[in-house]
Amino acid sequence: MVERLSDEARSRALKELPGWSPVAGREAITRTFTFRDFNEAFGFMTRVALVAEKSDHHPEWRNVYRTVEVVLATHDAGGVTERDIRLAEAMNTIAGQRGGI
């Protein structure tokens, strides 16, 4: 089992993750990605899904047209872990390659 990050470690990690912020009232992190259109948003989700499946760590997310809202937390650990930070970093990289903001 992976260990939940301390408040301090989570805060430090968030400083290195542009666009990500804590979820109010829950130990999780969130970001909304915006793309030019649905095709780009869906392409982003597809690429992230491959990374998530390979790492056996899956996001909570919601897609409406050109936006993708993401929440990351490791349910087994009861909060944010290194697995969430790594997936958030991968999402930022993929979004940058797809033109997301």
Side-chain angles (χ1 to χ4, degrees), residues 4 10-11 14 23 27 29 32 36 40 42-43 51-52 56-57 59 62 71-72 74 77 79-80 87-88 95:
R4 186 173 76 196
R10 188 175 62 245
S11 293
L14 280 173
V23 174
E27 193 159 324
I29 59 176
T32 298
R36 285 187 290 238
E40 277 196 3
F42 194 82
V51 172
D56 193 31
H57 190 59
R62 178 174 177 266
V71 173
L72 296 178
T74 303
V80 178
L87 187 53

Side-chain angles (χ1 to χ4, degrees), residues 6-17:
S6 68
D7 291 343
E8 182 179 317
R10 188 175 62 245
S11 293
R12 274 195 316 269
L14 280 173
K15 288 179 184 175
E16 302 297 318
L17 285 171

Side-chain angles (χ1 to χ4, degrees), residues 6-97:
S6 68
D7 291 343
E8 182 179 317
R10 188 175 62 245
S11 293
R12 274 195 316 269
L14 280 173
K15 288 179 184 175
E16 302 297 318
L17 285 171
W20 290 86
S21 59
V23 174
R26 181 175 171 202
E27 193 159 324
I29 59 176
T30 188
R31 178 169 178 189
T32 298
F33 294 91
T34 304
F35 298 89
R36 285 187 290 238
D37 55 29
F38 176 77
N39 189 48
E40 277 196 3
F42 194 82
F44 165 78
M45 293 178 75
T46 302
R47 291 184 68 197
V48 170
L50 295 172
V51 172
E53 188 63 22
K54 186 175 181 178
S55 64
D56 193 31
H57 190 59
H58 305 93
E60 297 173 28
W61 55 9
R62 178 174 177 266
N63 167 240
V64 177
Y65 181 52
R66 66 187 200 118
T67 63
V68 178
E69 299 170 1
V70 180
V71 173
L72 296 178
T74 303
H75 299 282
D76 294 346
V80 178
T81 68
E82 267 306 311
R83 296 176 85 188
D84 301 298
I85 301 306
R86 286 193 305 268
L87 187 53
E89 290 168 343
M91 288 180 163
N92 280 2
T93 299
I94 293 167
Q97 294 166 354

